[in-house]
Structures are given as structure tokens and as C-alpha cells.
Amino acid sequence: MPRFASVFLLCAFLVAGVGVASATSRDFEHPASPDTAQQFAVDNVQRQDTPNDPGYDLAEPDDPDSTLNGGAVTPSTNLYDEQFGFFGFPSQRTRSSALYATGPNAGKPQISGFNAAGAWKLERGRPDVAIAILDTGIKWDKESLRLQIHLNKGELPVPKADRATPSSDAGRVPPCSQWQASPNNPYDANGDGVFNVLDYVCDSRVDVNAGPHGVPNEIDAEDLIATFGHCQIQSGEIVQCQRLRQRHRRLGLLRQRQRPLRCLELLCGVEPWLRSRRERR
């Protein structure tokens, strides 16, 4: 074979190799396929461009993070060690043991999750989307929640930057003297593009230990509730704030003898206490 032809074939092979590598490369933020459908084949688009989360699919034999495939994560053979609830495809651990008995997919392996993998092909998430969680309470000390709690602008004043230094999270925000609010959103006091509790760490009105729960000296949404929850807000400004004792007396939650409250307004309401007082009469 002529030398020129050999060089040409070698170059073609290298180019083809680069093409294959780029096609199979992992890019969660820019997935190669927009296909959102559930998948049943072993090799499918939902197994491509997976999240860079070691715990996402570490029980799958084709996990790109596994040491079996050149990664650094020790693999597992236990389905419950991975987040199969996000899958839009059958786990290879259950392909032969969990099959649809009836319906259009009868005989096929069951999809392991609710197909978040498919949804990620269209959108990886947006910070402006509010998600409601119905639960029995919030653990204010959870760092994963502290900066994610949605704040209602209608019930909060526009943050101020009148402290010399931040009262919390000094490593996350610039010095208070350098703060510049977003021109389109005055609630984004530190100008980072997001409105959350960090926008109040330079506000002298807010005590980061006002809320009874959470991590000491770290601001959370409960601190804002304790600070502004009894205030009337209009157009981002405080109109008036009631003293809590006066408010409770007006609502019938305090006796004239100043005995302890029978219940808190937000926990058990006013009517049960008033009803019991009438019954005693």
C-alpha cells in the first residue's frame, strides 16, 4: 500500500475515533439526545449523559463512575444502593426478575423509576421554579434546604445592607459595603441572581438566632419568620409591626393574669381555647 494511502487511512481512523469518543462522552448539562421516552433496551439514551453523582447508578454494570469502567467509585451489586427511582429504564439487576405481566408492555422488564432521566433530557432544572413540599415540618439545620427555601416577597421587606459585616455565611457573600442589588430585583440585595436568605445577612434588622431551631449563627428562613412574621408589608416596606403579646391578647391567646399560653396561634388556632373558656363559664 502506498505510504500516502496508509497515512490517509490512519488519519481517517483517528478522526473516526474522535467522533466516537465525543458521541459517547458524558455531558449531563448538554445531553446528546432529547428523547424523553422510557427505554427498555440495555443500551439506551437514558443511560447516556447521566448525572455526575456517584450514588446515582453505582449498582449498574455500565456505571461510568465505577472502577470496572475506569472510574473511581467502588461498584455495588445491591439495587437499593443506587437511586433507581430516577431511572426511565429497567435496572440491569431486575431485567429478568421484574417483568410486566399485563398491558402494552407485557413481558418487558419493568421500568425502575418515574423517568427523571427522561425529563433531564429536556431540562436539568431551573432556579426560578418553586416546588411545594407537603410534610410534617422542616429541618432548618439541613444545609441542602437552608438556601433553597422559597421566600415570599409579599411577606418580606426589601433587604437592607446596613451592616458592616455579614451576620452569617461570610465566606459565601461579599462584604456588605460591596453589595449592589440587582437593578431588576431589589430583593436580590447581594446581586448574585437569586433571592434567598443570604440577601438578609447584611440587614441589621435580622437576628440570625431569632428562630428557635437551626444551626446557631447561621441564617435560615425561620429567622426571617421570627423577625418579620408579625409585620405588615406593602410594596417591600414595613408598614407596622405588632408586638406579639398585644397580638396574642387581641386574639384571645393570653389571659389577663398573664398565665402561659394554652396553645400557639399557628399550631392549634384560637377557637379551641375560646371554646374551652366558654365551657368553663
Side-chain angles (χ1 to χ4, degrees):
M1 180 181 294
R3 182 177 180 182
F4 175 80
S6 300
V7 173
F8 175 81
L9 289 176
L10 177 60
C11 291
F13 175 79
L14 292 176
V15 170
V18 171
V20 171
S22 62
T24 59
S25 63
R26 181 185 190 181
D27 191 345
F28 178 73
E29 293 297 333
H30 306 90
S33 172
D35 189 349
T36 64
Q38 293 179 328
Q39 306 290 320
F40 292 93
V42 174
D43 185 14
N44 62 78
V45 296
Q46 308 300 10
R47 293 298 298 133
Q48 302 170 5
D49 301 316
T50 55
N52 186 20
D53 179 356
Y56 174 67
D57 52 359
L58 81 167
E60 300 302 307
D62 59 349
D63 174 19
D65 295 317
S66 170
T67 53
L68 299 176
N69 301 310
V73 177
T74 302
S76 172
T77 58
N78 188 345
L79 173 71
Y80 294 98
D81 287 338
E82 64 183 6
Q83 301 179 44
F84 62 87
F86 292 142
F87 293 178
F89 50 88
S91 168
Q92 293 197 43
R93 299 293 173 186
T94 61
R95 290 189 66 85
S96 59
S97 59
L99 305 177
Y100 289 108
T102 60
N105 296 321
K108 294 182 180 180
Q110 292 184 2
I111 303 297
S112 300
F114 60 85
N115 197 19
W120 289 330
K121 299 303 179 185
L122 292 183
E123 179 64 64
R124 267 64 60 203
R126 288 171 40 185
D128 59 329
V129 175
I131 300 175
I133 301 176
L134 303 181
D135 207 334
T136 55
I138 296 175
K139 292 186 176 180
W140 299 100
D141 59 339
K142 293 297 183 182
E143 187 64 24
S144 58
L145 291 177
R146 188 171 66 93
L147 304 182
Q148 303 295 330
I149 298 295
H150 175 73
L151 303 180
N152 184 0
K153 297 177 183 178
E155 298 180 348
L156 290 169
V158 172
K160 294 182 178 181
D162 56 351
R163 286 184 181 272
T165 58
S167 59
S168 171
D169 297 271
R172 295 178 182 266
V173 298
C176 299
S177 60
Q178 299 179 11
W179 279 31
Q180 290 185 348
S182 172
N184 299 322
N185 182 11
Y187 281 88
D188 180 17
N190 58 21
D192 64 354
V194 180
F195 173 48
N196 58 21
V197 293
L198 294 183
D199 290 296
Y200 287 93
V201 297
C202 285
D203 193 323
S204 62
R205 298 170 297 182
V206 179
D207 178 1
V208 296
N209 295 312
H213 307 96
V215 178
N217 302 318
E218 280 193 357
I219 192 170
D220 57 50
E222 190 183 36
D223 298 322
L224 300 184
I225 294 174
T227 302
F228 302 116
H230 58 294
C231 298
Q232 180 183 356
I233 311 295
Q234 287 185 359
S235 302
E237 299 293 335
I238 296 177
V239 177
Q240 63 177 352
C241 294
Q242 293 181 338
R243 293 183 179 180
L244 294 180
R245 184 169 293 276
Q246 291 178 348
R247 187 184 185 203
H248 288 155
R249 182 181 292 114
R250 179 174 60 82
L251 293 172
L253 293 174
L254 276 180
R255 300 185 184 184
Q256 293 182 355
R257 296 182 181 179
Q258 303 299 323
R259 293 181 181 178
L261 294 178
R262 291 180 60 86
C263 65
L264 294 177
E265 173 192 352
L266 296 180
L267 295 180
C268 57
V270 179
E271 290 187 3
W273 188 84
L274 294 178
R275 189 182 307 114
S276 63
R277 186 172 66 174
R278 286 195 295 267
E279 291 172 355
R280 288 197 302 272
R281 291 178 180 176

